[in-house]
Amino acid sequence: MPNSEALIEEVYIKPIKSVLFIDDQFPTYAKKINANEENSGVELDVEALRQEDDVHYDGFGDQVAALDAPQSIVAEIQAFDDDRAIRITQSCRRKGYIFDVENDVSLILGAAGTTGFVNKPDLIVLDYILDKVSDSKEALSIIEYLNNSPRFNLAVIYTNNNPIETAQEIAHYLRGKKECLLSKGSERRTRGISNDTLTETLPFYFTSGISDLESFKKVLKLPDSCSNKNDFVARFETILNAKFVNAPQREKSKLVAFGISGSNNPWICGENVFVTVVHKEDLQKDTIDSLLEALKNSLVSFAPTPIAMLIQKSINTLKEGGETTLEQAFGNRETRAALLYRAMTAECPALHMHTTEALRFSDLVFRAFSVLSSGLQEELLEFGKRLFSQCKSSYEHVSLITAAANMEKVPTPFDEMSLYMNLNAYLCSQPISKAFISTGMIFCDKRDKDKIWMCVTPACDMVPGRTRGVPDCYRSKLSPANYFEALRLAKEDNVKALKAATKSNHIFIKIKGKTNAFTVTPGQAKIPLPYVFYVQDGGFIKDGITQVSLIKAEQADGNPVFIFEEFEIEILGQLRSEYANRFLAMKGGWNSRIGVDFVDYVDSDK
């Protein structure tokens, strides 16, 4: 696995710049100021406090008591774990981290209708028991918040409790409570296994479940007569629900993985949070370094997938890019001014202004990220070489398709054909990003979803409202309506399509989670079948739907009669431009101008 310490540290540890400590036994700077305010009754000398902080800075410490706070506040502060707070926060200062301390969970998560700040720092260090009554509800609510946030969060839990049990409670909380009836039959058939034995096996249960009963029996050293996995599920769930009462019921588990690192630190990976658990007594000198070491070891044990590491490295590279990244994407200041002018220029007066602005903005962002992607490739080349070198060397004795599936944690057994289908779909298609019909867009008749087409008109001709500077041309006269050509597609057998994938007669599109193969020469046709469609209002798509008119030729008294058939179409997918352009050429429709997005110069002084 590509989980060397060097790669993990480069991708996840070194980019850490800010740390938030959440501990009800750590005093905050606000507490220090409040104590002084209650005692003095006069306005604070803020500058004096700043000078004192610069000279003696440790964030906390004995100077809190020196402020002569009221006795009730002093008594509370004296209960704080000042020594640990001082050592950890001073170590953060030495590493140059931005850090803060909070001990009020309501402030961390945000009151109703407000936004909390717990998911803003790069690392969260969380005391597991926050309310001084040996309850984990508040810590679990913070983990839930982190897991539901839109970014991936790193957290270290430190506790005086058993780290393994703490991690199991977190895992059970993220996975959710499962109501299982422990029948008398199940209890009788599993009577030979003590609760202690099952409890010791909980890490294996969280990691693998009982999908492979034989492996499970081997771990528990069970006799062959034990053959019903539902019996064990009922026993485990009964123990978990009794042991960890704070777990909610969930429709879908939010637990991704659970394990124990080589340094015996348990870890839990949720959908958007990675947590490692450390016993407070195991912290060497109570420094941030020991917490980071535990986090790194746990990440090595978890082994993030290569693609996840590549994406995270890309994000880090973009964040560090600064002015260089800006110039790579948008050029120098003059170029950026010109791009801004173009983005603000309304070229489609016949259409709603908000749609025009959306077109310009999406076009600007698309071009910017296209350039950024080229720059990132250069920046990440050396990292990519090391990453994929480790990928190959980690699985020398298995096929590369098996190695790739294992490294990306595909559940076993897996379907190789499904992997190939997904690969081809990713190579030739992309998420639907256009707000209007465009080259390579795949759609179906909403009434009959077996009738499928692919747009093969040049993208420049499909931009809503574009007159091409020729008032008498057909498209100018039609505006804001437009027309386009499309090729008829037909579903193809997946095996047949995969065995002929390189012959370029097929496309692969994922529709509602399922990958489908299509051919551009359906039935007995030897060449693609083009159709002409007309659209109103520039062909704008709303909620994946738009209305079209299809020209149909029918016979009347032996003579062709052309009629319009109006119906709604549903957008199914979008080919990447390089694939769409191939079918554009195959159809023979290169009638667009060169330099499709050039802008004429207009003297602003005239």
Side-chain angles (χ1 to χ4, degrees), residues 372-436:
L372 276 177
S373 124
S374 299
L376 274 177
Q377 289 176 30
E378 296 179 12
E379 293 282 337
L380 296 174
L381 183 59
E382 189 273 334
F383 173 79
K385 286 180 178 178
R386 287 186 286 127
L387 176 67
F388 291 114
S389 173
Q390 286 198 25
C391 287
K392 287 186 176 181
S393 62
S394 299
Y395 287 88
E396 295 179 349
H397 305 295
V398 298
S399 69
L400 288 181
I401 189 73
T402 300
N406 289 341
M407 284 185 281
E408 286 297 319
K409 305 182 190 296
V410 176
T412 54
F414 61 87
D415 181 0
E416 281 196 14
M417 183 182 295
S418 177
L419 264 64
Y420 277 99
M421 288 289 290
N422 283 307
L423 170 61
N424 286 325
Y426 182 84
L427 291 174
C428 77
S429 60
Q430 65 185 36
I432 302 167
S433 57
K434 296 286 186 181
F436 56 92

Side-chain angles (χ1 to χ4, degrees), residues 347-348 351 434 436-439 455-470 473-476 478-485 533 535 538-539 581 584 587-597:
E347 197 177 276
C348 313
L351 303 173
K434 296 286 186 181
F436 56 92
I437 299 289
S438 186
T439 311
C455 175
V456 285
T457 290
C460 60
D461 289 332
M462 293 302 300
V463 175
R466 173 166 285 157
T467 63
R468 296 164 56 87
V470 185
C473 77
Y474 189 37
R475 291 190 189 276
S476 296
L478 279 175
S479 182
N482 207 342
Y483 74 94
F484 65 93
E485 290 183 272
F533 290 85
V535 289
N581 288 339
L584 195 70
K587 190 267 301 182
W590 290 103
N591 62 352
S592 62
R593 61 188 171 89
I594 297 175
V596 294
D597 282 320

Side-chain angles (χ1 to χ4, degrees), residues 106-180:
S106 63
L107 292 176
I108 294 167
L109 298 180
T114 65
T115 302
F117 61 85
V118 68
N119 65 324
K120 303 301 188 293
D122 299 323
L123 175 65
I124 297 94
V125 181
L126 172 63
D127 182 20
Y128 196 58
I129 305 300
L130 290 172
D131 59 2
K132 300 185 178 71
V133 293
S134 299
D135 195 293
S136 57
K137 285 183 181 178
E138 292 187 333
L140 290 170
S141 67
I142 291 172
I143 294 169
E144 174 92 347
Y145 187 98
L146 293 172
N147 196 53
N148 291 339
S149 72
R151 58 169 285 184
F152 190 75
N153 300 279
L154 296 174
V156 177
I157 302 287
Y158 60 7
T159 178
N160 284 320
N161 297 330
N162 184 321
I164 300 292
E165 288 195 2
T166 297
Q168 289 171 359
E169 181 173 22
I170 297 170
H172 187 51
Y173 185 85
L174 290 178
R175 193 200 58 160
K177 181 189 300 182
K178 295 182 179 180
E179 295 296 342
C180 287

Side-chain angles (χ1 to χ4, degrees), residues 425-550:
Y426 182 84
L427 291 174
C428 77
S429 60
Q430 65 185 36
I432 302 167
S433 57
K434 296 286 186 181
F436 56 92
I437 299 289
S438 186
T439 311
M441 194 164 280
I442 297 163
F443 58 91
C444 70
D445 185 336
K446 194 178 176 185
R447 305 164 305 175
D448 183 355
K449 296 192 176 182
D450 287 332
K451 293 181 178 179
I452 301 169
W453 295 267
M454 173 176 58
C455 175
V456 285
T457 290
C460 60
D461 289 332
M462 293 302 300
V463 175
R466 173 166 285 157
T467 63
R468 296 164 56 87
V470 185
D472 292 332
C473 77
Y474 189 37
R475 291 190 189 276
S476 296
K477 292 179 178 180
L478 279 175
S479 182
N482 207 342
Y483 74 94
F484 65 93
E485 290 183 272
L487 300 182
R488 182 69 181 270
L489 305 178
K491 284 189 177 181
E492 182 70 281
D493 176 74
N494 289 349
V495 176
K496 183 178 179 181
L498 285 176
K499 289 186 175 180
T502 56
K503 295 186 182 299
S504 302
N505 191 40
H506 298 91
I507 59 175
F508 300 84
I509 299 289
K510 183 168 284 189
I511 303 172
K512 296 180 179 178
K514 182 181 179 181
T515 307
N516 299 268
F518 297 93
T519 176
V520 294
T521 54
Q524 301 300 316
K526 297 186 182 300
I527 59 174
L529 304 176
Y531 289 71
V532 178
F533 290 85
Y534 284 79
V535 289
Q536 296 292 329
D537 196 24
F540 278 101
I541 301 164
K542 183 177 181 181
D543 299 326
I545 305 293
T546 193
Q547 186 156 327
V548 300
S549 296
L550 173 63

Side-chain angles (χ1 to χ4, degrees), residues 175-469:
R175 193 200 58 160
K177 181 189 300 182
K178 295 182 179 180
E179 295 296 342
C180 287
L181 177 63
L182 183 61
S183 66
K184 292 183 178 180
S186 296
E187 197 166 9
R188 183 182 68 253
R189 287 188 291 269
T190 58
R191 186 176 298 156
I193 310 169
S194 68
N195 282 353
D196 289 341
T197 301
L198 290 172
T199 301
E200 291 172 3
T201 320
L202 279 174
F204 182 81
Y205 179 67
F206 279 122
T207 304
S208 306
I210 314 181
S211 56
D212 183 354
L213 182 60
E214 294 306 314
S215 297
F216 187 78
K217 285 161 62 176
K218 186 180 292 186
V219 170
L220 281 180
K221 300 179 180 179
L222 300 176
D224 292 338
S225 57
C226 297
S227 58
N228 189 343
K229 72 176 184 180
N230 293 329
D231 293 342
F232 300 108
V233 169
R235 280 288 300 275
F236 271 116
E237 296 303 329
T238 301
I239 291 173
L240 288 169
N241 293 339
K243 192 176 182 66
F244 306 124
V245 296
N246 290 322
Q249 287 187 322
R250 301 186 188 275
E251 292 184 5
K252 179 185 175 184
S253 170
K254 296 184 178 183
L255 176 67
V256 174
F258 175 94
I260 300 175
S261 73
S263 54
N264 293 321
N265 293 118
W267 52 263
I268 310 98
C269 183
E271 293 172 339
N272 273 325
V273 65
F274 183 87
V275 179
T276 188
V277 184
V278 179
H279 197 284
K280 291 182 179 180
E281 292 181 356
D282 294 337
L283 298 180
Q284 297 179 0
K285 300 180 181 178
D286 287 331
T287 65
I288 190 67
D289 299 278
S290 58
L291 297 172
L292 292 175
E293 187 68 18
L295 177 62
K296 180 177 70 175
N297 291 336
S298 295
L299 283 165
V300 169
S301 173
F302 168 58
T305 68
I307 299 300
M309 293 184 70
L310 191 61
I311 294 298
Q312 189 61 47
K313 178 66 176 178
S314 302
I315 294 171
N316 297 339
T317 303
L318 280 174
K319 287 170 66 176
E320 297 292 335
E323 184 71 17
T324 301
T325 299
L326 183 63
E327 293 205 356
Q328 278 183 340
F330 293 102
N332 58 21
R333 294 182 184 278
E334 289 78 10
T335 304
R336 299 202 292 268
L339 289 169
L340 181 60
Y341 157 74
R342 181 176 181 274
M344 294 188 297
T345 302
E347 197 177 276
C348 313
L351 303 173
H352 300 298
M353 181 57 68
H354 75 274
T355 50
T356 299
E357 291 173 349
L359 287 173
R360 282 284 173 246
F361 178 75
S362 61
D363 180 60
L364 187 65
V365 171
F366 174 78
R367 292 173 188 273
F369 276 95
S370 296
V371 177
L372 276 177
S373 124
S374 299
L376 274 177
Q377 289 176 30
E378 296 179 12
E379 293 282 337
L380 296 174
L381 183 59
E382 189 273 334
F383 173 79
K385 286 180 178 178
R386 287 186 286 127
L387 176 67
F388 291 114
S389 173
Q390 286 198 25
C391 287
K392 287 186 176 181
S393 62
S394 299
Y395 287 88
E396 295 179 349
H397 305 295
V398 298
S399 69
L400 288 181
I401 189 73
T402 300
N406 289 341
M407 284 185 281
E408 286 297 319
K409 305 182 190 296
V410 176
T412 54
F414 61 87
D415 181 0
E416 281 196 14
M417 183 182 295
S418 177
L419 264 64
Y420 277 99
M421 288 289 290
N422 283 307
L423 170 61
N424 286 325
Y426 182 84
L427 291 174
C428 77
S429 60
Q430 65 185 36
I432 302 167
S433 57
K434 296 286 186 181
F436 56 92
I437 299 289
S438 186
T439 311
M441 194 164 280
I442 297 163
F443 58 91
C444 70
D445 185 336
K446 194 178 176 185
R447 305 164 305 175
D448 183 355
K449 296 192 176 182
D450 287 332
K451 293 181 178 179
I452 301 169
W453 295 267
M454 173 176 58
C455 175
V456 285
T457 290
C460 60
D461 289 332
M462 293 302 300
V463 175
R466 173 166 285 157
T467 63
R468 296 164 56 87

